[in-house]
Amino acid sequence: MVSKATYFLGIDGGGSKCKVRLENENGTLLSEAISGSANVATSCQQSQESILLATEHAFHEAGLALSELKNTYVHAGLAGANIDSAYQAMTKWQHPFAKFTLSTDMLIACKGAHQHHDGAVIILGTGFCAGYQLQNQFSELGGYGLLLSDGASGGWLGLQLCRKAFEVLDGVAQSSAAVDALLTQLNCHSSQALSQRLISARPAELAKFAPLVFSHSYDAFCQQLISEACAFIARYITYFEKQGITKVSLMGGIASVITPYLPNASKARLTPALASAEQGAILMAREAI
């Protein structure tokens, strides 16, 4: 009798993208894939659709039939899973997997970055969140969304740039190279046009403007934004140090571009992640069996 194969899927679902990693039972990487937003607090349905789409791509890339989903153990770390109503809604999902467990994206990032050792992680992506593990206990900070927190995130940087653009278009502030680039990119030349373009913008869309801040770092307004973002990050690193945490990993799309601007004392605490967030999720999927 031939025993059935077992697979493990690690999912890192953020505000901008959902990335999955597929391994066999021996820990061999079979494939990776990416789909759209998987922030469960923004939309549980969108999160589920993104997970399934990325999973289908991963299975296709690995040459596996989707019938093998029933032999696949999954852990998903999702942005927004710290919101209890969103977490509870996701646990009711009638998924196609052998087992599906769930946590925040911060927890899998910390598991990946530090494995079973003490350490902290700051995720600087579309949103912001931070967390640390100390003596096998995990604590999470931030991650309350762009309206309530998320300083130094891509969404925050993009939002501040858009707010500045409104002041410029209304004539109450002097323009800058970064604002001019934003308005050209959006093809908006009046506050009414910009308002119509952005009135329903989600954090992931605003985060797309964050690269303009760094590509115009000579711009006085962008320098101010980067300085504020660095101060925000530094406060968390200082907090971690007070908890006895000396190793901090920065992750997410903003991490690499903002690191050079951080204070030297903060940079001295930074350490590379041992593994990716998706690998941290697979570690948790294996532990959940």
Side-chain angles (χ1 to χ4, degrees):
M1 180 178 177
V2 179
S3 59
K4 65 181 181 181
T6 301
Y7 303 98
F8 296 90
L9 192 72
I11 301 172
D12 179 19
S16 297
K17 65 179 183 294
C18 176
K19 185 174 183 181
V20 304
R21 177 186 176 93
L22 179 64
E23 294 183 1
N24 64 18
E25 57 192 356
N26 298 319
T28 301
L29 172 63
L30 301 179
S31 64
E32 294 179 313
I34 295 176
S35 63
S37 172
N39 186 315
V40 69
T42 301
S43 171
C44 188
Q45 180 178 347
Q46 174 65 52
S47 180
Q48 293 168 3
E49 290 175 355
S50 293
I51 287 172
L52 290 177
L53 181 59
T55 298
E56 289 174 8
H57 288 330
F59 271 64
H60 177 75
E61 182 70 22
L64 294 175
L66 292 180
S67 59
E68 293 295 341
L69 290 175
K70 66 180 182 296
N71 299 321
T72 303
Y73 293 81
V74 180
H75 185 90
L78 303 178
N82 58 315
I83 307 302
D84 187 62
S85 58
Y87 179 91
Q88 294 301 327
M90 199 65 180
T91 60
K92 296 180 175 65
W93 183 25
Q94 298 299 307
H95 60 79
F97 308 111
K99 188 171 185 179
F100 178 86
T101 52
L102 172 69
S103 71
T104 63
D105 52 346
M106 169 49 62
L107 180 54
I108 64 167
C110 212
K111 284 292 184 184
H114 303 290
Q115 304 289 295
H116 300 293
H117 305 291
D118 293 345
V121 164
I122 296 175
I123 298 179
L124 299 164
T126 295
F128 171 97
C129 58
Y132 64 95
Q133 51 189 27
L134 181 63
Q135 298 178 357
N136 296 320
Q137 297 296 316
F138 181 75
S139 299
E140 189 162 346
L141 314 168
Y144 308 117
L146 183 57
L147 179 64
L148 302 176
S149 62
D150 286 10
S153 68
W156 182 84
L157 290 165
L159 176 60
Q160 304 315 310
L161 186 58
C162 290
R163 285 176 170 171
K164 182 68 171 181
F166 278 110
E167 294 180 8
V168 170
L169 291 170
D170 285 343
V172 298
Q174 191 172 20
S175 191
S176 69
V179 170
D180 289 343
L182 172 68
L183 295 176
T184 298
Q185 180 176 321
L186 293 177
N187 193 28
C188 291
H189 305 289
S190 70
S191 54
Q192 290 78 14
L194 187 61
S195 177
Q196 184 173 351
R197 176 69 172 76
L198 297 176
I199 193 67
S200 300
R202 291 187 174 185
E205 183 175 0
L206 293 170
K208 293 178 181 178
F209 309 135
L212 291 173
V213 174
F214 295 98
S215 63
H216 295 81
S217 59
Y218 56 86
D219 183 310
F221 178 67
C222 292
Q223 289 176 358
Q224 176 188 337
L225 285 185
I226 293 171
S227 178
E228 290 180 19
C230 286
F232 188 91
I233 296 165
R235 286 199 296 274
Y236 281 82
I237 294 176
T238 298
Y239 172 82
F240 292 141
E241 188 173 2
K242 290 179 179 178
Q243 308 310 308
I245 297 292
T246 58
K247 294 182 178 181
V248 182
S249 297
L250 297 189
M251 307 176 78
I254 301 299
S256 62
V257 290
I258 204 168
T259 295
Y261 299 97
L262 290 172
N264 288 333
S266 296
K267 285 191 282 191
R269 293 298 183 192
L270 300 183
T271 184
L274 295 175
S276 69
E278 307 90 69
Q279 288 172 293
I282 284 184
L283 178 63
M284 296 186 70
R286 291 180 182 275
E287 290 176 348
I289 293 182

